[in-house]
Each structure stands twice: as structure tokens, then as C-alpha cells.
Amino acid sequence: MSTIEKKISLIRSKFSVALLRPDLGAIVGVVLVFLFFFLVARDTGMFSLEGSMNWGIVSSQFIIIAVGACLLMIAGEFDLSVGSMIGFAGIVIAVTSVVWGWPVWLSILIAFVVSMSIGALIGYITVKTNLPSFIVSLAFLYILRGMTIFIAIISTKKTIIGGVTEVAENDWLAPIFGGEIFTGVFDWLAEQGIIQTFVAGTKAGQPVVSGIPMMMVWAIGLVIFAHFLLTKTRFGNWIYASGGDAQAARHIGVPVNRVKILMFVFTAFCATVFATTQVIEFGSASADRGILKEFEAIISVVIGGALLTGGYGSVIGAALGAVIFGVVQQGLFFIGVESSLFRVFLGVLLLLAVILNTHVRKLITGAK
């Protein structure tokens, strides 16, 4: 083989490897989405600091739940109870703190403990009964939503519970979920005239964007943690093995059942982070909060390149899929398009992602 032929073969090999990257579709999608909205919405303020913060916060919401769903799907399982878990955890925080008078920090910790215990229960039932996680978690979708409404009604006779902001004042844990960081930096940038400030009202002279919300911090932190866990640790290899071929993984000593249960627990943890940030931000909890979030999380992961059959995927890809959602949702608002078209976009994107991922699976397995 000549030198030129070797170089061509090497280029083809690298190109083939690039095509098999699970996050390739999400990377291309992010580029196309940003390019499209830059062309049609660059004069609307979408890419100003304030506009970027808007779609950044929405993207962060998607990212938080997509990270948990990603690891679970790579492990070969689904959790359709995520949306109901969000509403349930929020009501637990509101009822225990506002109605029962517990400290907010304790209410938050209780919500995490209860939610993660339910996640463990879903995982335990799944691995012990060999029932599809789709069915088990679907059952808990209804169980949790019903319990959420029931708890809210018997506690307050309402499905929306406010007053969290007042009881969270001076609480030491609440700012970790609802505060901002780098506020001093943004104040300095405003003083220097680098970023926009309010020109009237009680906030005159203050920066329009006063800091980076903790929701965004949580999203970035979870992506870094999950990516490191998945790609740099033995446990990450166990996750891939559990989803790729559970029986073969057991034969080489992988604790498949424990891995799957822990992934259900982590998914519940991410859902509770989402719920807590929303409760602290809005100062209230609603029994119907989180509806359809489980599907948005799964779609983000599928767009990110994860196979529905498990054993293949990328946290970075899932995060990019969530960013696509956030940018499109806010982009449609900025250009004045009917917001219901966002659901149309989700459906089309899911269909295209599944077709692409099916093709990738055939390349990986050699199936026809």
C-alpha cells in the first residue's frame, strides 16, 4: 500500500469513527439551530445578554432532567415517572415548609430522601420482577401524580401552594437552589457600562442580568459529574455494559441490578433538583408541575445519540439536545411564531433522531 493510500485509509477510518460518535447528530443540530435563529432573530434581542439568559435558563431545565434520563437509558432502562416526580417533590417541599412549618432546608432534604427512595423502589421492582421499566415507571407516573394532588388537597384544599419565598428567607440551603452567583461581577460590568441596566423604576441603575442562576450552575455541574462518571470511571463502564448486554455483563462480574437501581435513584435525584429550583425560584409548588417532562428528557437523550436499546449514548449529546430544545422554544417566542409549533418540532426531531440512531445501531452491530 502506497503512502497516499495509507493516508486515504486513515482519513476514512477517522471519518467512520466520527460518524459513530453518539453526540454527532446533536452537534450538527445545535449548529443548525443557532445558525437559523441567528439569521431570523438576531435583531429581536434573542442573542443579547438578557435574551441569551432566557434560553439558557430554559435549556438548563431540560439539561437537569436529561442527564439523569441519559445515564438510565444507557443502562438500558426508562423512567416515565420523572414528570410526576417533579410535581411530587415540589409539593413535599411546600407542604412541609409552608403548612407544617418545618425549616426549608429540612423540607428540601426530606424531598430528596423520599424521591430517591421511590426511585430505588422503581428500580428494585424492575430488576426483581423483570418487568419492562416502561411499565413499572408508567404505573408510578400515575401513582405519584395522584399522591401529589391528594397531598395538596388534604393539606390546603388547593393544588397550588404559595408562601415558600417568605419561609425560605434567611434559610441556609435555599440559595443553593434559587440564588445567583457572580452578582458582584455583573454589578461591576453594569457600572462600567458593559452590560445593560434598568433605566427606570426601583431597579434603576441595576444590571438587567444580575448574576448566573443556580439552575444553570446545577445543569453544568450535573453534566460534568455525569460525563466524568460515564467516561472516566469503572462504574461508567458498568453502566454501558448493563445496557449493552446485561447477561454478558453479569458473567464478567458487573453488578447489573445494583447499577440499574442506582441509575433510577440518580434520575429521581435530578428530578428533585429540578423541582427544588423551581419551587425556590417561583416561591410556590403546583400539583401539575412537571407534566410531559419525562418525554422531553427522553427526546433530549435520543437526539443526543443514545440508543433506545441501551448501551450507547453520551451525556454531552443529551445536554446539547436539551440546548436545542431551549433555543427553539425561546426562539419561536422571539420571532413571534405560535408556541404550539414547539410540540410539532419535538415530534419531527424525535422521528429524525430515531431514524438516525437506528442507522447508527446497524453500523455498530453490523445488522442489515
Side-chain angles (χ1 to χ4, degrees), residues 1-346:
M1 183 181 292
S2 66
T3 303
I4 295 178
E5 288 175 332
K6 288 181 179 179
K7 288 183 178 180
I8 293 175
S9 177
L10 180 61
I11 291 173
R12 287 176 177 174
S13 176
K14 290 183 177 179
F15 181 70
S16 298
V17 171
L19 285 178
L20 293 178
R21 283 179 59 96
D23 49 13
L24 177 63
I27 293 172
V28 174
V30 165
V31 172
L32 293 177
V33 164
F34 270 98
L35 180 61
F36 172 78
F37 282 106
F38 179 77
L39 293 176
V40 302
R42 63 180 181 272
D43 298 327
T44 64
M46 179 178 175
F47 294 100
S48 65
L49 180 59
E50 186 178 8
S52 298
M53 190 62 68
N54 287 337
W55 56 257
I57 291 174
V58 174
S59 298
S60 297
Q61 295 175 356
F62 289 124
I63 288 173
I64 289 172
I65 53 177
V67 168
C70 178
L71 295 190
L72 183 61
M73 284 181 62
I74 292 174
E77 305 294 345
F78 291 90
D79 188 351
L80 296 182
S81 70
V82 169
S84 297
M85 187 75 76
I86 291 171
F88 176 78
I91 287 296
V92 168
I93 294 172
V95 168
T96 54
S97 62
V98 176
V99 181
W100 296 0
W102 292 7
V104 172
W105 64 266
L106 181 59
S107 298
I108 292 173
L109 294 180
I110 291 296
F112 273 97
V113 171
V114 173
S115 297
M116 293 168 69
S117 298
I118 294 173
L121 177 61
I122 296 173
Y124 180 82
I125 294 174
T126 298
V127 301
K128 289 301 180 180
T129 62
N130 288 322
L131 288 171
S133 55
F134 178 91
I135 298 299
V136 177
S137 60
L138 180 62
F140 273 88
L141 179 153
Y142 285 100
I143 292 170
L144 287 173
R145 187 64 67 184
M147 286 298 298
T148 301
I149 297 172
F150 175 74
I151 292 171
I153 292 296
I154 65 169
S155 300
T156 64
K157 293 183 172 56
K158 296 182 295 183
T159 57
I160 299 177
I161 303 174
V164 178
T165 301
E166 290 74 17
V167 298
E169 190 174 356
N170 299 322
D171 186 87
W172 66 270
L173 187 57
I176 297 177
F177 293 92
E180 293 179 331
I181 62 172
F182 301 132
T183 53
V185 174
F186 281 82
D187 287 338
W188 180 83
L189 292 173
E191 292 173 359
Q192 304 303 313
I194 299 175
I195 62 176
Q196 188 178 2
T197 60
F198 290 101
V199 296
T202 57
K203 293 186 177 181
Q206 297 182 24
V208 173
V209 177
S210 56
I212 298 177
M214 288 304 299
M215 180 174 286
M216 297 181 71
V217 177
W218 273 102
I220 295 170
L222 285 171
V223 169
I224 294 173
F225 167 77
H227 178 70
F228 178 83
L229 177 71
L230 198 59
T231 61
K232 303 296 183 181
T233 68
R234 182 174 64 172
F235 190 82
N237 292 332
W238 287 357
I239 294 173
Y240 279 115
S242 298
D245 190 332
Q247 197 57 42
R250 289 188 177 95
H251 288 159
I252 62 174
V254 175
V256 173
N257 288 356
R258 187 174 68 182
V259 169
K260 289 177 180 288
I261 291 173
L262 286 175
M263 290 303 93
F264 277 103
V265 172
F266 182 65
T267 301
F269 173 84
C270 292
T272 310
V273 169
F274 182 98
T276 307
T277 55
Q278 285 211 322
V279 169
I280 300 301
E281 177 186 359
F282 299 132
S284 65
S286 175
D288 64 352
R289 193 166 289 169
I291 289 178
L292 296 181
K293 289 299 179 185
E294 58 276 349
F295 297 107
E296 293 172 354
I298 290 173
I299 294 172
S300 295
V301 179
V302 172
I303 292 173
L307 295 179
L308 296 174
T309 51
Y312 185 80
S314 163
V315 173
I316 301 299
L320 291 176
V323 169
I324 291 174
F325 280 8
V327 172
V328 170
Q329 188 181 75
Q330 292 299 295
L332 294 177
F333 169 78
F334 275 101
I335 63 178
V337 174
E338 172 57 42
S339 60
S340 60
L341 289 179
F342 176 63
R343 299 297 174 188
V344 176
F345 169 81
L346 291 189

